[in-house]
């Protein structure tokens, strides 16, 4: 109540400003006043809780401008207050006090002590409450006036106004009150051992804590324990003091960080390197976070970062050998496969001794594309997986650090998506330390044009992460917040942000001219000494180091760099493998690189898995399951007894058999537990007990591998990235992301383009990630029809004009050579095999699988156990098996197709009684293209015309991909004799089997005359019509065309 009264007093009395606060804030301002509409339901407003005074103030301003802009109750409140009356009187509360609420009367005895005993006047109580309010205001809003900008020209929060609550005059104190002593509340630690302090000292200590070089936002956190934890570490007198040894260590690290950039600048002055100049303190900061975290038990750290300072991080944080870094500047050719990437995107993996803690530590920097922040979820997935395999359920051994640029952190939506994974049970990494290199610029754009939030870090508030803004020119403050961040994570296992407010000494890259766009800022930067110079001067002044020592450290590092450059000059090639972020030691070694394992399994296994999957929980008597689920389980059991599988059972057979073999399976995506189409039901829910669930696939065998099935947040970009990262940690796991509908995968396009399709070529990194994409035109409209199969095919790297040499290893060699596999299966048996093949392959490739909707329940889309037994395997094509195939000479037309349209074509053929005339062959694996099988299938029907039928529009679906490949399959290949040259460590691994020379084309005439024609919808801009009637009409035309002879 006091604060409300004080607020009203202020509104009435206006402007008793204190000189000491005004002068410290004399910075040219950016005005951002705007009138907001506060006409919100009053019931939703907790009245004057801890942080709402600014809100009330804003509302008051809005009311002054327009009384109708606030709710009627506030209008009345302000009207009464302005007239000198009581603004608001709450009814007496019957409810118990909240956690942070204190009755004013509870202060009375203490205040009596503070004021010498006896009678306590209302003014004394009010003044103590005011002191409490001031302390709280500093804790909440002190950061707004902290001196965060090393250049002293900008305000990190884009607002130069001093919050009124930080003015003592705002609380009706006079200068005379400054020496009055006040008892300190339990919500502050500024007193240390003192229980009371003069107002002047209270303000001084608050200023030192909250308004110097650290600005901290934490009071929005809904935990008194966590708020007190931060207050204690910041406010306790002497909390920031460090010893001479620590100061020297900071200086040494800063010297290396600075020396590295200047060495590169001297040696390769016109090379882009996205230098760290202006934020060299990042390096000591990261090392401090790592030291502290290692001390607290962390053994492995996965890092993701953008371009800025990346080389410096690799050199000085990861201690990647300098000569390897320098060879990247030499323009050498690579000794390995792949197309590689620019030097400031490459990843690395290092295991080394942490000299400060004397413990071993593993550091990985994940390779990333230019696309800013896209690596964030990948890092999180990789971290989560590492925690999982180590049994580190609380994130005590493995953690992640994410680095961000200021403009990207607030501009890129993936940051928000990643943040929202941070506390989800199957996605949390138990706290990430985010470090923002806030150089107050993004390329040429300054913060006023790149964000609408006060700070670039505001996104982190949604997950209640404390945010430490810190001035980069105060190394000791930076180290203090780094220690706090590491301890915070270790204590609470929640995210935390360190916002290093710095500057960028050069242009965006070393070739850019920053004066074109930021002339004043850069004039100032030119006259600003480096953080190293400033810190060295301070330490010399303090007597911690001598000028000679400073010079000595510098020249020693220069010598290290020169020596490394000498050895780099001797290198003749670069090796991409040196830059691998996820080495799978032991996975490739000793394997026949062109020999895949089998994928069929024993009948017993199918029966066992089938029965378990179809049974209610073992404690069925107490576990009430839904009647509908009972029916589903019953029909599953009937299928098992009849030795057949539908789609869900086929998938479960694949998962279950892999789990039996010790392969961890993880299925993640929106609503995957049940399945978008209610077909899967991997989690059964007790109908009367909340959160009681049963997961049949987790209960197959006592020694099985763990199965994780998890509904994700409603994100594609974030979750797909996460699963990709998860798949990178261990090749012996089947990691699957399923889209709700395939149509939505394009919001994750960046992960698909930048990582999945091209990751191996750029970064020699493999992944066996599976994407399940429900796909098919079923009259559900343009956004529930297409997974954009054509795009995946267009990004497939197999050459349409190249028919690889035929050999026993044709299929596996093709898989080895391609960037990913794209398939559209039509039977549960083939689904079973292709999922199992992911693990049976001696290498890993992403699998893009179009999955069905109506086929999930189609009575014909069933497979017998016979198709999954030990002697069976994945069928790249499923040849026609109707009567047509028995007299192929008589067949007039062969229709090739892929996916569910097969069942429509088959029915149309039956309806028209054309089984003798038309053969229908399914292409199940579209890419890499099964040239060999297509060729023999065409040859089998020498008199038939050849058609490709698809339900997608002509400019979509597989047509553009298959057409030239059909031609190559029919004609042989002009490239066929030039077997692609393999080179490098990875190719060598696979080069012990030479392909057989290609056979001669079968007949000249066949090759010359046959072409494949198109049957399907015409071209269109949209993937599907929105009208069901139109959809059916189109389908009927398609089938008519297909059946025409
Ligand atoms: C998604 C994406 N959009 C645009 C770019 C082009 N780009 C490269 S760096 C950059 C500015 C980044 O600013 P900031 O995040 O503040 O990092 P800084 O370069 O200042 O360290 C931009 C726009 C990009 N790399 N990624
Ligand atoms: Mg920036």
């Amino acid at each position: 109540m006091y604060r409300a009264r004080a607020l009203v007093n202020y509104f009435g009395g206006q402007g008793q400003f204190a000189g000491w606060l005004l002068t410290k804030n004399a910075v040219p301002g950016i005005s951002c006043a705007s009138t907001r509409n506060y006409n919100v339901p009053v019931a939703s407003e907790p009245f004057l809780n801890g942080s709402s005074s600014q809100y009330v103030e804003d509302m008051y301003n809005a009311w002054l401008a327009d009384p109708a802009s606030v709710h009627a109750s506030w209008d009345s409140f302000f009207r009464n207050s302005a007239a000198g009356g009581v603004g608001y009187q709450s009814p007496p509360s019957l409810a118990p006090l909240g956690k942070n609420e204190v009755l004013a009367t509870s202060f009375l005895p203490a205040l009596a002590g503070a004021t010498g005993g006896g009678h306590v006047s209302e003014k004394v109580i009010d003044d103590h409450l005011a002191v409490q309010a001031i302390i709280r205001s500093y804790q909440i809003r002190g950061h707004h006036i902290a001196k965060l900008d090393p250049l002293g020209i900008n305000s990190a929060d884009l607002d130069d106004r001093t919050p009124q609550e930080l003015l003592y005059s705002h609380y009706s104190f006079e200068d005379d009150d400054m020496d009055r002593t006040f008892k300190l509340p339990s919500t502050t630690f500024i007193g240390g051992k003192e229980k009371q302090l003069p107002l002047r000292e209270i303000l001084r200590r608050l200023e030192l804590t909250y308004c110097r070089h650290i600005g901290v936002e934490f009071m929005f956190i809904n935990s008194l324990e966590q708020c007190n934890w931060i207050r204690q570490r910041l406010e306790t007198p002497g909390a920031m003091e460090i010893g001479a040894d620590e100061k020297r260590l900071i200086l040494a690290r800063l010297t290396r960080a600075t020396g590295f950039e200047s060495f590169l600048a001297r040696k390769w002055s016109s090379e882009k390197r996205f230098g760290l100049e202006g934020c060299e303190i990042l390096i000591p900061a990261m090392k401090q976070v790592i030291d502290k975290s290692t001390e607290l038990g962390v053994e492995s750290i996965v890092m993701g970062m953008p371009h800025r300072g990346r080389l410096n991080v690799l050199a000085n944080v990861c201690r990647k050998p300098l000569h390897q870094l320098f060879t990247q500047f030499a323009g050498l050719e690579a000794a390995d496969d792949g197309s590689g990437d620019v030097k400031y995107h490459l990843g690395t993996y290092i295991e080394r001794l942490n000299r400060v803690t004397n413990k071993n530590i593993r550091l990985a920097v994940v390779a990333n594309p230019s696309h800013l922040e896209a690596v964030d979820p990948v890092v999180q997935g990789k971290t989560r997986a590492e925690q999982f395999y180590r049994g580190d359920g609380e994130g005590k051994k493995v953690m992640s650090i994410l680095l961000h640029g200021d403009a990207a952190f607030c501009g890129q939506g993936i940051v928000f998506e990643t943040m929202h994974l941070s506390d989800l049970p199957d996605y949390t990494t138990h706290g990430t330390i985010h470090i923002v290199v806030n150089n107050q610029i993004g390329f040429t754009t300054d913060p006023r044009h790149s964000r609408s939030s006060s700070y670039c870090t505001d996104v982190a508030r949604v997950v209640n992460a404390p945010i430490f803004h810190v001035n980069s020119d105060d190394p000791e403050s930076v180290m203090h917040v780094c220690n706090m961040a590491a301890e915070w994570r270790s204590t609470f296992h929640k995210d935390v942000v360190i916002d290093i407010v710095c500057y960028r000494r050069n242009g965006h890259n070393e070739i850019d001219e920053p004066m074109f766009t930021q002339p004043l800022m850069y004039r100032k930067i030119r006259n600003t000494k480096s953080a190293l110079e400033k810190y060295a001067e301070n330490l010399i002044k303090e007597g911690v180091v001598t000028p000679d020592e400073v010079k000595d450290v510098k020249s020693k590092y220069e010598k290290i760099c020169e020596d490394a450059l000498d050895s780099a000059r001797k290198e003749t090639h670069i090796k991409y493998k040196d830059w691998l972020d996820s080495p799978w030691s032991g996975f490739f070694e000793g394997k026949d690189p062109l020999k895949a394992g089998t994928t069929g399994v024993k009948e017993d296994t199918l029966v066992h898995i089938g029965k378990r999957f179809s049974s209610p929980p073992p404690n069925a008597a107490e576990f009430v399951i839904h009647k509908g689920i009972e029916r589903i389980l019953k029909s599953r059991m009937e299928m098992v007894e009849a030795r057949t599988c539908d789609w869900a059972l086929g998938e479960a057979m694949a998962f279950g058999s892999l789990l039996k073999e010790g392969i961890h399976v993880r299925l993640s995506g929106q609503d995957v537990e049940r399945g978008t189409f209610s077909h899967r039901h991997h989690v059964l829910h007790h109908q009367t007990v909340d959160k009681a669930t049963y997961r049949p696939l987790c209960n197959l065998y006592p020694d099985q591998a763990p199965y994780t099935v998890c509904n994700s947040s409603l994100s594609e970009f974030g979750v797909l990235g996460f699963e990709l990262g998860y798949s990178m940690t261990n090749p012996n796991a089947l990691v699957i992301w399923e889209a709700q509908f395939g149509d939505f995968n394009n919001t994750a396009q960046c992960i698909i383009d930048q990582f999945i399709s091209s990751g191996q070529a750029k970064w020699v990194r493999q992944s066996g990630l599976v994407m399940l994409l429900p796909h098919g035109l079923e009259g559900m409209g343009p956004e529930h029809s297409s997974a954009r199969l054509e795009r995946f095919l267009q990004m497939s790297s197999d050459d349409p004009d190249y028919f690889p040499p035929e050999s026993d290893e044709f299929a596996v060699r093709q898989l080895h050579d391609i960037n990913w596999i794209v398939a559209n299966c039509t039977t549960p048996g083939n689904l079973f095999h292709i999922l199992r093949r992911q693990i049976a392959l001696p290498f890993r490739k992403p699998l893009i699988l179009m999955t069905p909707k109506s086929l999930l329940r189609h009575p014909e889309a069933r497979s017998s156990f016979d198709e999954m037994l030990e002697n069976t395997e994945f069928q790249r094509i499923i040849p026609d098996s109707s009567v047509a195939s028995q007299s192929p000479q008589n067949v007039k037309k062969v229709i090739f197709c892929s996916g569910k349209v097969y069942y429509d074509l088959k029915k149309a053929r039956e309806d028209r009684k054309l089984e003798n005339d038309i053969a229908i062959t399914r292409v199940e694996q579209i890419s890499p293209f099964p040239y060999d099988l297509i060729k023999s299938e065409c040859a089998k029907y020498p008199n038939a015309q050849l058609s490709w039928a698809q339900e997608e529009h002509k400019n979509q679906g597989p047509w553009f991909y298959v057409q030239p490949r059909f031609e190559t399959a029919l004609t042989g290949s002009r490239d066929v004799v030039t077997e692609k040259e393999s080179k490098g460590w990875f190719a060598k691994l696979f080069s012990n089997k030479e392909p057989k020379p290609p056979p001669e084309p079968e007949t000249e005439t066949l090759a010359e005359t046959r072409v494949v024609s198109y049957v399907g919808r015409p071209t269109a801009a949209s993937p599907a019509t929105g009208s069901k009637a139109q959809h059916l009409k189109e389908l009927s035309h398609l089938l008519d065309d297909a059946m025409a002879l």
Side-chain angles (χ1 to χ4, degrees), residues 861-874:
R862 299 252 166 121
S863 295
S864 155
F865 280 11
D866 292 336
E867 293 164 48
M868 299 149 85
L869 294 179
E870 282 167 302
N871 54 346
T872 60
E873 62 179 4
F874 175 68

Side-chain angles (χ1 to χ4, degrees), residues 791-919:
R791 293 206 186 125
F792 292 99
L793 293 172
Q794 186 257 329
M795 282 193 276
S796 281
S797 64
D798 61 340
D799 184 340
D801 301 326
Y802 176 69
F803 192 142
E806 287 182 82
S807 70
D808 295 343
E809 293 123 3
F810 184 91
V812 70
R813 184 176 282 278
Q814 259 197 319
L815 293 173
H816 164 257
D817 289 345
I818 201 147
N819 57 334
W820 59 15
I821 305 159
V822 185
N824 192 357
C825 298
T826 57
T827 70
N830 236 8
L831 170 74
F832 166 84
H833 283 294
I834 201 168
L835 290 175
R836 287 181 52 77
R837 192 181 70 174
Q838 283 300 96
I839 300 300
L841 288 172
F843 44 81
R844 293 290 173 260
K845 294 285 160 168
L847 168 64
I848 316 300
L849 203 52
M850 303 293 120
T851 57
K853 294 173 276 189
S854 60
L855 283 201
L856 298 172
R857 295 184 174 77
H858 197 293
E860 286 193 54
R862 299 252 166 121
S863 295
S864 155
F865 280 11
D866 292 336
E867 293 164 48
M868 299 149 85
L869 294 179
E870 282 167 302
N871 54 346
T872 60
E873 62 179 4
F874 175 68
Q875 291 179 273
R876 288 178 290 146
I877 69 165
I878 303 183
D880 188 285
S881 57
S882 71
V883 285
S885 64
Q886 286 149 29
S887 316
Q889 300 288 336
N890 301 333
V891 169
K892 299 188 180 122
K893 187 175 196 175
V894 184
I895 301 175
F896 291 89
C897 64
S898 190
K900 94 160 204 312
V901 74
Y902 165 75
Y903 292 96
D904 297 323
L905 292 165
K906 184 166 174 270
K907 178 153 187 316
R909 181 176 66 174
E910 266 162 37
D911 292 346
R912 291 162 176 81
K913 308 213 175 343
L914 291 171
E915 282 100 333
N916 290 316
D917 302 308
I918 297 181

Side-chain angles (χ1 to χ4, degrees), residues 647-673:
W647 205 268
L649 199 46
E651 180 189 78
M653 294 295 192
F655 291 3
S657 54
L658 289 170
L659 294 169
K660 178 175 185 279
E661 291 159 22
I663 300 295
H664 166 45
V665 178
R666 177 179 163 100
L667 170 62
S668 149
Q670 290 153 34
D671 308 293
V672 294
E673 294 177 6

